[in-house]
Every structure is written in C-alpha cells, then in structure tokens.
Amino acid sequence: MNFKLINSSLPSDFETTMQAQLGADFILFEKALGTEPPVSIRLNPEKRAFDASALMKVPWHPEGYFLPARPVFTLDPVFHAGGYYVQEASSMILHEVLSQLIPAPRPLRILDLCAAPGGKSTLLASWMPPGSLLLANEVIRSRVSPLQENLERWGNPHTFTSSYDPEGFAKLNGFFDLVLVDAPCSGEGLFRKDPDAIREWSPEHVQLCAARQRRILAAAVKLVAPGGTLLYSTCTYNEVENDQNAAWLVEQQNLEYLEVKLPAEWGVVSRDSGYQCYPHRLRGEGFYFAAFRQTRGLPFRGKTGRYMSKLSDLKKREEAALADWVQNAEALFFLQRPDGTVLFGPNELWNDLMLLDTALPQGVWLREAGQFKGKDFIPAHSLAMSTSVAADWPAVELDRETGLRFLKKENIELPADTAKGWLLARHEGLNQGWMKNLGNRVNNYLPKDWRIRMDIREV
Ligand code: SAM
C-alpha cells in the first residue's frame, strides 16, 4: 500500500480543520498518516493462547501487544479459536477508562449498542466483573453474523447478541449499569488504514454523522440506570462529532462528565470534553472517548412477563446427558427451540435474560449447545468455542497444517488408535471445533460459514 499517496490525497477541508485543531503539531500528524499503521492484538485471558512476553506491550491494556509485522491472521488457527482479537491499539484504552470509573467488582448489566464487528464487545467481555451480562447489539443485519462469530470465538457465556435500532430498547429504560455507544462516525481516525474512509469524507458527512450520533445517544442515555455510566466513543477527530456531542450530553441530557487520569507518557490528549488519541502522539489510530454518569434517569421498573418465547424445557434424561458436555452443568440452564436446538446460558443471568426477553420483541440470541438427534447429541460449534465446554472432553491436538485443513473443512485423518465418537479438534490447547471419528473416516463438523476460504497451501 502506498501510504504517501493516501496522505497527499487528504481532503482540503479536513486539513484545514486539523490545522486549526493541532496548530504546530499538524506537520507531525500529517507525517504520521504517511507511516504504516501499527498492528496490535489483544489476548483472550480466558483462553491463554501463548506467551506474548517477547512482544511489545500496549501500555494501557494488560493483554494488548504490538506485532512486529502483519501476519496473515486467516492462516493462524489460534486466531480462529478466539485466542486473540486483532484490535487497533488506541481503542484498547477503554479497559483503563472502565477500570478507573467502575472499580467495584459487582456484576453489571452492560449494553454495547453499536457493537459489530465486536472489538469493544470482546474487550468488555474480558473486563467485566464476574456475574455480569453483556448484550452486544448491532442494528445492521448484515453485520450481525461477524459480531456473533467473534463473540462465539471469544467464548464467554455471559455475552449475548441482538439486532435492534437504539430506539427499540425503549422498554429497558434504566436497565443497564453501563452503555457503550461506539458510534458510526466519519472515520477520520482510520484514514491511515482505510482509504475508503477518505473517499467518503466530506463536511456534509460529518454533519450527518453528528446528527445520527445524537439520535443514538438520546436513546442510549435513557437506558442507563441512575448512577450508571455512559461511554461515548468515535474514531474521528472533529469537534462536531466529539466535543459538541459531549457538551450536548451534559447540557441537554443532564449527564455528569467524568474525568479519568491517564499517564502523560501515554500521549492521550485531554480535550474540553473527552480524550483524543492521535497517531503522532501514540502508537495507534485516531480515537475519541468521553465518559458520563447518569445523574437523573429513571430506575428500571419492568417485570418478567412470559416464558422465553417459544422455548421449552428439556427432558430430564436430556439434561442429564448434557451434563457431560459442559463444565459445571448446575451453573447453566438449558432450553429447547421448537426445531430441537438446545440453547444454554448461566443460571445467574436467568432473571435478567427473562427481563430482556419480555422487553424486546425478539428477545436476545442465546448460545447454541447443540441438538438431540435420536439418541445422539450433535454439539454446536459455539459450544466448542465456549469456556463452558467440558474441559475433559476427549480432544485431539492437531499440528498447524492439519489444524488449517480442519478449518478449511477438509477431510482429515487421525491415528488408528484414536478414540471413536465426538472429539474436539484442538491446536495449541485451544478448541477449533468438533469432529466425529467413525473409525473408517472422520466427519468434520466445522460450520460451513466459518471455513477458511483462502488457499492455505499457496501462502
Ligand atoms: N464497536 C465496534 C467494534 O469495536 O468492533 C465498532 C462499531 S462501528 C464504529 C459503529 C457501528 O454502528 C457499526 O457496526 C454500524 O453498523 C452501527 N450503526 C450504523 N448506524 C447505526 C444506527 N443508526 N444506530 C446504531 N448503530 C448504527
């Protein structure tokens, strides 16, 4: 990629605004846009993929690391197993912000309102106190599948997904302790990584984004419980989408602006309202965030109404059979859809999930455990990915090449003395999916949509 070319084609209105914002620093900013973007990953603390101690740390996240070069992530089985998330470093700062603002480790109800593809949701899932519930919502239907895949890979059974317009949550006013609005924006902070963001930028688009952000924020504010936290973030620099919206939240929506203390050496710039990451000040892209406390607001008063729509209990013997497939079965509930698919979730979230199911027309999506077919139970891929899967389920460690062939949904052979029946395919100790060893052949149960499409042999 020719970064100089990208730099020289910056829109002139954007340059003028940034010159006004940065003054003498503008030259450094422009120079930074002409350099290669850093590559960073955030490890999944629940999966402990590998020892990253030789890598350079992202200073503001305990699991964040820079990679010396960009590998082909598609060809890394550890990536497919949810061992890490490829995330731009600046946005990882939300971990520090949340740790400062919400230090008491009590279970929280969290909504990530604009969640796809799931970078912040996976960060929240790893940060949130035990017993919390995270609902990751994405209004654009085509973006829901990648969000669900990423959260399934991450494997935390306390995370759920939905697809509603922000106003669709109106019956949940005051329900959430923390709402994140990582808003759709003009994307100025991504210019270095994404030339399309440059092509789509215009002063009119900035105005349009700001108006949309206010609509989203207006709905989000009401969802925050009294005393709860609203976190607003964008990957842009302009004041219209950032500071002006933050000021509007304080002046028109009665929120209290919250400050955080960040070490000066991190290079994050404090603005009138909020904080800004610039690529010339730190190793990351442009990112803005601001945090607020709900000072007024109404507490949630909803009641559970109906039984989770159209779901039924399992038979006793089915529940008993499932106990072998999961860790700690007594901590989980199981429900069955009319098509026989078994869904599961943590018992401790039952009440909250019922409230969500009552308040939202389609409820939320629960994780699939599998399906009973006659006497056999066909486990779902999401169970293989989940930290709830039985740790002692028979597994076969595959080398990288065989692991990639499994992930390409090719047939693989196993040593003749391998146990028959359902097996977890594993690479470097991380589950890749299910196989069924029939003796004369091995069936690969990786979902078709998850398979690697690129040629694994040519790279
Ligand atoms: N939080 C995500 C992450 O960290 O991976 C990135 C979110 S992206 C900046 C903004 C998201 O808002 C997009 O997925 C987009 O589809 C969604 N969105 C677009 N229009 C929206 C609207 N009117 N209301 C709510 N979300 C919207």
Side-chain angles (χ1 to χ4, degrees):
M1 197 189 294
N2 186 340
F3 296 101
K4 296 250 163 29
L5 183 74
I6 294 170
N7 196 5
S8 63
S9 61
L10 289 174
S12 63
D13 283 327
F14 170 74
E15 285 191 320
T16 309
T17 318
M18 291 309 291
Q19 272 160 355
Q21 189 177 114
L22 293 171
D25 267 11
F26 178 74
I27 293 175
L28 299 173
F29 170 74
E30 208 177 19
K31 213 167 146 201
L33 289 192
T35 61
E36 202 152 337
V39 184
S40 46
I41 59 169
R42 185 168 39 74
L43 297 187
N44 186 343
E46 299 296 321
K47 298 214 170 179
R48 291 274 146 232
F50 53 84
D51 176 12
S53 52
L55 295 172
M56 186 190 272
K57 287 254 339 102
V58 173
W60 42 83
H61 197 291
E63 308 284 351
Y65 294 90
F66 292 105
L67 300 184
R70 190 174 189 87
V72 183
F73 289 110
T74 307
L75 296 183
D76 183 6
V78 174
F79 166 73
H80 293 275
Y84 59 86
Y85 193 94
V86 184
Q87 186 171 41
E88 183 285 303
S90 300
S91 49
M92 294 186 202
I93 200 135
L94 292 188
H95 174 97
E96 172 62 25
V97 175
L98 290 164
S99 304
Q100 284 188 29
L101 296 179
I102 313 177
R106 69 174 175 89
L108 302 171
R109 292 164 169 172
I110 305 174
L111 174 64
D112 185 358
L113 193 53
C114 314
K120 316 281 183 318
S121 295
T122 54
L123 180 145
L124 288 165
S126 297
W127 166 82
M128 63 191 190
S132 299
L133 176 152
L134 169 65
L135 179 57
N137 179 73
E138 169 56 46
V139 64
I140 311 254
R141 277 294 172 136
S142 59
R143 293 173 59 86
V144 173
S145 294
L147 171 66
Q148 285 179 327
E149 272 189 29
N150 283 328
L151 276 172
E152 282 188 15
R153 273 198 188 104
W154 210 246
N156 184 327
H158 285 65
T159 60
F160 305 87
T161 45
S162 63
S163 181
Y164 297 102
D165 183 89
E167 275 153 26
F169 287 95
K171 286 190 181 158
L172 288 165
N173 286 350
F175 182 79
F176 294 98
D177 302 295
L178 169 63
V179 176
L180 169 63
V181 176
D182 186 36
C185 69
S186 58
E188 295 162 357
L190 300 180
F191 279 3
R192 178 163 64 167
K193 279 176 81 175
D194 178 10
D196 282 346
I198 302 180
R199 278 191 283 280
E200 281 163 23
W201 190 92
S202 68
E204 295 73 35
H205 189 228
V206 168
Q207 295 295 339
L208 205 126
C209 288
R212 181 169 53 189
Q213 287 150 359
R214 280 200 192 181
R215 278 198 303 278
I216 298 172
L217 286 168
V221 165
K222 298 186 198 123
L223 304 177
V224 184
T229 308
L230 176 80
L231 207 47
Y232 174 54
S233 60
T234 70
C235 48
T236 211
Y237 306 107
N238 69 75
E239 291 175 11
V240 186
E241 295 175 73
N242 295 345
D243 311 57
Q244 288 180 21
N245 276 344
W248 175 81
L249 284 170
V250 174
E251 287 156 18
Q252 305 290 321
Q253 302 290 318
N254 299 311
L255 297 189
E256 179 194 345
Y257 175 68
L258 300 172
E259 285 189 17
V260 286
K261 290 199 171 23
L262 304 171
E265 62 271 23
W266 287 1
V268 181
V269 175
S270 175
R271 291 168 69 137
D272 286 348
S273 307
Y275 300 83
Q276 185 78 53
C277 302
Y278 292 101
H280 64 288
R281 302 285 302 250
L282 47 74
R283 286 190 76 186
E285 304 310 306
F287 183 64
Y288 165 88
F289 59 91
F292 308 85
R293 180 164 298 126
Q294 173 67 278
T295 53
R296 299 194 191 163
L298 295 172
F300 177 69
R301 298 216 186 279
K303 291 193 181 78
T304 52
R306 57 202 157 96
Y307 196 64
M308 283 216 202
S309 41
K310 297 195 189 122
L311 301 181
S312 53
D313 287 327
L314 267 64
K315 298 186 185 85
K316 280 262 169 323
R317 69 173 161 76
E318 290 173 336
E319 286 237 6
L322 275 170
D324 292 339
W325 291 85
V326 296
Q327 303 259 69
N328 233 346
E330 58 288 353
L332 299 173
F333 67 80
F334 296 98
L335 289 169
Q336 205 156 22
R337 279 204 310 242
D339 68 0
T341 306
V342 177
L343 309 169
F344 73 103
N347 271 334
E348 59 186 334
L349 299 183
W350 172 259
N351 199 44
D352 281 356
L353 288 167
M354 289 286 279
L355 289 169
L356 289 175
D357 192 63
T358 308
L360 299 169
Q362 314 294 327
V364 303
W365 281 295
L366 301 178
R367 285 290 151 77
E368 293 184 11
Q371 203 164 17
F372 284 99
K373 285 246 165 84
K375 279 197 189 136
D376 206 3
F377 178 68
I378 319 288
H381 189 66
S382 63
L383 181 62
M385 295 287 103
S386 174
T387 54
S388 293
V389 71
D392 56 359
W393 193 268
V396 180
E397 177 73 25
L398 306 177
D399 61 23
R400 183 170 177 276
E401 198 214 311
T402 320
L404 283 173
R405 283 181 37 230
F406 174 82
L407 290 168
K408 197 140 172 74
K409 208 166 163 57
E410 290 182 355
N411 292 335
I412 59 169
E413 299 82 43
L414 295 174
D417 58 352
T418 310
K420 297 227 173 51
W422 287 103
L423 299 169
L424 280 163
R426 228 170 240 173
H427 176 70
E428 298 195 359
L430 298 184
N431 295 335
Q432 304 286 326
W434 296 103
M435 316 182 272
K436 193 168 186 190
N437 184 11
L438 303 174
N440 55 348
R441 67 166 202 276
V442 179
N443 288 344
N444 182 338
Y445 276 79
L446 187 86
K448 248 204 276 150
D449 292 347
W450 285 60
R451 75 187 190 284
I452 296 179
R453 287 177 175 82
M454 74 188 288
D455 191 337
I456 54 177
R457 287 171 191 87
E458 273 181 10
V459 187

